[in-house]
Amino acid sequence: MNKNIVITIIVLFLSVSYVSAQFTVQGVVSDETGMPLPGCHVHYGKTCNITNGDGAFTIEAKALTANLTFTFMGYNSLDTLVRSNSSLDIHMIPSHEMVQEISVKGNRIDTMKSRKNEVVTAEFMAQNLSSTFIKSLERLPGVNAMDIGANASKPIIRGMGFNRVVVSENGVKQEGQQWGADHGLEIDPFNIETAEIVKGASGIEYGSDAIGGYINISNDKVPLPNTVSGEASFLTKSVNATFGASGAVEARGDKHYVKVRASAIDYGDYKVPTDQIIYLDRIVPIYNGRLKNTAGKEYDAYLQYGYLHEAFKSSITISNVYQKSGFFPGAHGVPDADRVKHDGDYRNIDFPYQVANHTKVMSNNKFYFNSGELIADLAYQFNNRQELSEFHTHYGNQSPPEIDPDLELAFRLSTYTANVKYVFKETEKHAISIGSQSQYRDNKVGGYSFLMPQYQSLSTGLFAKDTYTINDKFKMNVGLRFDYSNIDTEAYFDPILYDYFIAKGSSAEEASFYAQRSTELHKDYGDYSWLVGFVYEPANNWITRFNVGKAFRTPTAVELSSNGIHHGSFRHELGNGELDSEKGYYTDANLEFNNSLWSFSVSPYLYYFTNFLYLRPTGEWSSLPHAGQIYAYDQTAAIVSGLELSARRQLGKFSADFTLEYVYNQQVSDDPSQRYPLPFTPPLNGFIEIDYAAFAHSKVLKQSRFFVNTRFASKQENVARNEEVTDGYFSLGAGFSTKVRLSNKEVDLVLQGFNLLDAKYYNHMSFYRQIEIPEQGRNIQLLVKVPF
Amino acid sequence: MKCDNIVSHNYLLKNNQTFYIMKKYFLFAVAAMFLVACNNDNDDVDTTKPVIEIIKPVADAGEDHIEFHQGDEFEFEAKFTDNVALKSYKVAIHYNGDGHEHSAVVKSATEEDHVEWDQEWSGDLKEEQEDRVAFLIEVPENAEPGEYHLGVYCFDVAGNESTTWMEIVVEEEGHDH
């Protein structure tokens, strides 16, 4: 990583030594309501001070003038020039349209970025905590969750998921098995301080995979000086008898700080509002309305140590997420009534099940210089996902392995990340940053089954971007990125499969085709992505944005080199070593209006992919047991377009929220009969909530509100070949949330119900949709958060 | 941003003209994107799966499987229909090992000359809306007794695929129920 060193050296030269003190600047930073903002960063030259518990700060200026910059996550940064001893009263203004729970008044919008982002806070997470972090984000228009069971989901943004969305923590891309339908993100739902969600291609800064969007979780908030504080959270759910608890303690002296968190979640089989499912013409009974073997547990631990210096801020984080969850046995193999019989225990995890363990070590560093700041993040992640199923085989000649006889599949992915970014201090006209992102991945596999090849991959991206302020109302964003990556996949020849086909009387050629489960490939990919965007504020409270750009991603090892039955989808999937990198041109726009009574936002978008990678049914039978036709990875021109709407109206104590998402996509072809829709496309869907602010004068209950909401979706008939049409639905929810004031501390209480009508409906994006399993039944949950 | 912008204001729209101009500019972009999105009719796209009906063999009323003996011969017949045009079918018989106690190890306890019956038939269908396939299936003399899946697959000219299953149980010769 020579270039990283070069950048570091350049940056070090940019710093200059300081002169002696000239005057003192004191001040208090508060938010738009006048509440002090502790933990606000006050940048002066190459130092960064942090406001104390009262929002106060003191700076010894060392020159004739002092240029101070105030920054705080979720707020617009603010510059000021001071010439003499002075006492400042700084009011920060929220930069993002926070989701309305946080009852932001006079909320302003980020006028720097041409791509609209949404920020959710720990409070949003508490208010909306659903089964998983991603599921909790579903109320944002344009964000959907692809689920498997109760506790695993991954994001779909603008109808794009898998490797087309990047999720990162503290700027480090989270690596799991994003390509797999039954993989969920390994993230502790209790441990989200703030998260930023960007819809639309965001590849310039966040990595070329971010074609559909980007989610960054920031867990780098610094505790207040000389304090020790903590928080305990408890969660319970009726739908699967969940008991969850999480405890966090953070402490800071002056410069050193530590944050620790441990979480445990245990849940049983979840309830579904049906007593049978009909799959492949077979009736599969659901005993006592509970989906067998969907119980699970999760144990997470998190430790962060940080050091604050005038010239830098540095933290090291170690985290581990362990998830064990059962698969509905009817979902593995041909449906069979015997396997779904109630076993007398709703909390046991029997075969088949998955265990995912994600270990991460991260070092996040920020160095302050007169000319800007250098951000360097290093990380190592180990993702170990295993699927266990009592040894079974379709091949009479296969015997169970001696070690781990029931380990069906194992994926052990090690990822090394190094990101370096230099953010130049904003001038009146420009806000420039440059950086590089490098990643090395090494994937090993195990188990008596085979799904994907072992591979090694190295990728590096270099980027530069600028926000050019043309005038008060008009800004332009430009970005350019070059990515280079290579991938080496390892060959795997399955002698058992070869012998099976020979014994069946197949030719050696045919037997070899099936037995060659993966091929050895050395592929190099390199491409540019770019973005030109505009932000225009035609009037106060109004903002418009417009972007044009190009995005691309490199194919995955599975897309390039796999060959065999994907036991989840029951399909024989065949990789294609000839795939190019997926390229798309996009344009999107956004119009937003915000004041204290009203807000609305409209965001249309359109992508044109020259080669969208997808699985094409070939019209050739596979001879593998239980397989239908072969599905081959292929590329096609395609368009993806859609519209997101959101609106909010405040009316006295009431407020109403409305969001709507529409996605349309299809393959592009001269032949009208080949213009198939793309798979996993969200139907027209939306969310409506009505809130009532209660007990405004209560001394005990603060920010209390009652709410009623509904999530709805229309019928999805735009389906890919061999994807099911899914009916529309309407699901009702309601709840009450408040903060109970107990001796200077506020205890958060959120009681809410989901699917109150116990409606039977299907989620088009759920993994279990394919086998006709409806969504979870009525759920009442209670979350209590006690600070100490 | 400069300090003088800090004070928070709640502006209401004072200027209808600004709003009008902006609306025009924006609506143009929206309209352009939607013209592309909506100017597609995928009526020509076929995503309807063919339908498979197994006519023979049929399980007795109240039974979920059919029993045969080693060496038996039975008639198989299926009817395939599609909204556009059929293309190909496959019939496959496999030993049901999934999720049961049967595995390569357990199986060796039974007679050594028994093998798992594993057979496939496939062929093209008439590229029409309906076709039938019928042939005789012979249970091998040395078929491992136990439960088997008889799967019938079919896809149409567009690649839309259907599957249906039935269970058949092979009894040992001379073994009566």
Side-chain angles (χ1 to χ4, degrees), chain A residues 290-519:
Chain A
R290 298 186 74 149
L291 198 62
K292 186 181 171 183
N293 203 38
T294 52
K297 54 182 88 176
E298 173 163 349
Y299 303 113
D300 307 326
Y302 193 89
L303 172 67
Q304 186 174 77
Y305 162 75
Y307 181 73
L308 303 167
H309 185 270
E310 282 198 339
F312 68 89
K313 173 188 167 187
S314 181
S315 70
I316 184 152
T317 308
I318 301 169
S319 66
N320 196 76
V321 171
Y322 170 91
Q323 296 170 337
K324 178 179 177 181
S325 58
F327 287 123
F328 177 60
H332 274 220
V334 178
D336 187 327
D338 287 350
R339 267 180 282 154
V340 298
K341 279 197 180 121
H342 179 42
D343 54 12
D345 188 348
Y346 292 122
R347 296 196 87 84
N348 63 332
I349 304 167
D350 204 347
F351 293 122
Y353 63 88
Q354 67 171 328
V355 179
N357 195 85
H358 193 98
T359 310
K360 184 154 65 176
V361 182
M362 253 188 314
S363 163
N364 296 98
N365 308 286
K366 225 178 220 185
F367 303 91
Y368 309 110
F369 300 98
N370 287 334
S371 60
E373 54 186 52
L374 174 76
I375 299 162
D377 300 325
L378 300 170
Y380 166 73
Q381 298 171 68
F382 180 60
N383 186 280
N384 183 2
R385 194 168 81 87
Q386 300 181 321
E387 291 189 17
L388 293 100
S389 183
E390 197 168 10
F391 179 77
H392 64 274
T393 177
H394 297 296
Y395 318 116
N397 54 341
Q398 184 175 15
S399 46
E402 282 176 14
I403 304 161
D404 291 337
D406 297 318
L407 178 63
E408 186 171 10
L409 292 165
F411 314 103
R412 301 185 179 107
L413 175 64
S414 305
T415 306
Y416 303 82
T417 308
N419 296 339
V420 181
K421 180 161 92 168
Y422 194 80
V423 182
F424 291 91
K425 187 156 268 176
E426 276 177 39
T427 66
E428 236 169 76
K429 289 285 176 197
H430 294 279
I432 298 173
S433 48
I434 54 170
S436 80
Q437 292 186 311
S438 303
Q439 199 188 41
Y440 176 75
R441 285 176 299 159
D442 183 9
N443 186 54
K444 299 271 182 258
V445 302
Y448 62 82
S449 251
F450 183 88
L451 182 59
M452 75 174 304
Q454 307 207 124
Y455 68 86
Q456 293 81 42
S457 169
L458 176 68
S459 61
T460 300
L462 294 172
F463 68 89
K465 57 171 205 152
D466 181 25
T467 301
Y468 174 50
T469 305
I470 298 163
N471 60 38
D472 277 359
K473 297 188 164 179
F474 209 44
K475 289 192 182 77
M476 186 167 106
N477 279 278
V478 287
L480 181 66
R481 179 182 173 111
F482 178 74
D483 276 273
Y484 164 79
S485 69
N486 64 37
I487 182 163
D488 290 346
T489 62
E490 293 177 21
Y492 177 69
F493 186 86
D494 186 346
I496 294 166
L497 205 49
Y498 182 82
D499 293 344
Y500 165 83
F501 275 100
I502 294 295
K504 254 176 76 167
S506 304
S507 68
E509 192 191 5
E510 193 188 2
S512 299
F513 165 76
Y514 289 104
Q516 193 70 49
R517 300 299 307 274
S518 67
T519 45

Side-chain angles (χ1 to χ4, degrees), chain A residues 748-768:
Chain A
D748 276 332
L749 259 171
V750 185
L751 175 71
Q752 63 179 324
F754 300 89
N755 193 10
L756 289 174
L757 303 178
D758 210 22
K760 179 180 171 181
Y761 67 95
Y762 298 95
N763 174 2
H764 189 65
M765 275 80 61
S766 164
F767 173 81
Y768 279 161

